[in-house]
Amino acid sequence: MTATLRSALLATVAAIAFPLPALAQTNSDFDEFAQKVARIGQNLEYYAAYQLQATDFSASIKHWFADAQMRIDSVALDDIEVQGPIRIYINNGTIVNCVAPDGEWLCLQLPSMQDVPDGAEFSNLGWEAIRTDVESYRGRVKKLENRTIAGAPTSCFRFDESDEAMVFEVCFTQGGIPLYLGSEGDGYFTSLTATEFQTSVEAGTFELPAVPQSLPNFPQ
């Protein structure tokens, strides 16, 4: 189950990345980027389907987000034993992982966000840490040429971490929905590209398919 959870978490990494030279940035680049990031977690509601390609697995991902609630569905992960759909629900920091290998749903509730294995960043498609400390990225953001993704025009940006160990690329719609996300670094590469999206979430989307069971704390 840990491998299942880790794979699903990796499927939500907020970035793709490509080897980059030092980033040249203008204040307007950073300001536009900061405005887009600020929308995530602040009254942004959407559904998007993504195709994920990574170094050692691939998957189809569906993502719903509204206020403090999030749901991610994934299928066709290559590197796990569990067959069938996988869902992760987040509601105000509580994570519930649901699987249905034999057609019957089993849901496990993690004790807290801090107990996710491997210290994985997992909140609002990985943007929570950036959103709460966006000023630290000033000087490391570069505006890219706009692209059309899933039929929508997007604004795209590249940025790196402070130690330059990871570089990232992201494309947002005008309303702030991330349609292209990924990262590269330390021998690992992901690309997450939207194939469709909607600007609303249907009622009942965040209802759990089964009563969640409690999962013990992970060992330190």
Side-chain angles (χ1 to χ4, degrees):
M1 190 63 64
T2 299
T4 299
L5 179 58
R6 182 180 299 112
S7 295
L9 292 171
L10 287 173
T12 66
V13 172
I16 316 186
F18 306 95
L20 300 174
L23 297 178
Q25 181 217 30
T26 67
N27 286 334
S28 60
D29 289 345
F30 173 79
D31 291 341
E32 184 178 353
F33 173 76
Q35 289 172 2
K36 298 293 187 184
V37 171
R39 287 295 310 279
I40 299 179
Q42 300 293 318
N43 302 316
L44 184 63
E45 178 177 314
Y46 67 91
Y47 155 80
Y50 299 92
Q51 184 62 37
L52 171 72
Q53 295 293 329
T55 305
D56 54 3
F57 68 92
S58 63
S60 297
I61 307 295
K62 294 182 178 180
H63 176 239
W64 293 261
F65 179 65
D67 298 326
Q69 297 184 95
M70 181 166 63
R71 169 182 158 186
I72 295 173
D73 292 11
S74 61
V75 296
L77 291 172
D78 299 332
D79 66 339
I80 61 175
E81 298 82 6
V82 176
Q83 301 298 315
I86 301 168
R87 295 181 183 176
I88 291 182
Y89 296 82
I90 295 182
N91 188 351
N92 291 310
T94 298
I95 301 177
V96 178
N97 186 43
C98 299
V99 295
D102 301 313
E104 183 174 348
W105 285 102
L106 170 66
C107 294
L108 299 176
Q109 180 173 324
L110 275 67
S112 70
M113 294 286 285
Q114 295 93 303
D115 293 314
V116 177
D118 299 335
E121 290 289 344
F122 188 75
S123 181
N124 301 341
L125 270 179
W127 288 102
E128 183 67 15
I130 296 174
R131 185 176 68 82
T132 56
D133 191 27
V134 69
E135 185 63 31
S136 69
Y137 289 83
R138 185 177 294 277
R140 294 189 278 120
V141 176
K142 180 181 179 181
K143 180 74 180 292
L144 302 177
E145 183 177 351
N146 294 342
R147 306 176 197 172
T148 298
I149 301 173
T154 66
S155 298
C156 301
F157 304 86
R158 282 180 175 174
F159 59 99
D160 63 8
E161 292 293 354
S162 57
D163 59 4
E164 298 184 355
M166 297 287 291
V167 287
F168 302 89
E169 185 171 326
V170 60
C171 297
F172 297 98
T173 65
Q174 183 177 1
I177 299 173
L179 296 187
Y180 186 69
L181 316 129
S183 64
E184 183 178 5
D186 195 25
Y188 195 85
F189 171 83
T190 65
S191 62
L192 192 61
T193 306
T195 56
E196 63 177 3
F197 74 99
Q198 299 174 358
T199 56
S200 62
V201 173
E202 295 182 359
T205 294
F206 302 108
E207 294 178 3
L208 298 178
V211 176
Q213 303 178 26
S214 296
L215 190 65
N217 285 316
F218 292 99
Q220 300 298 316

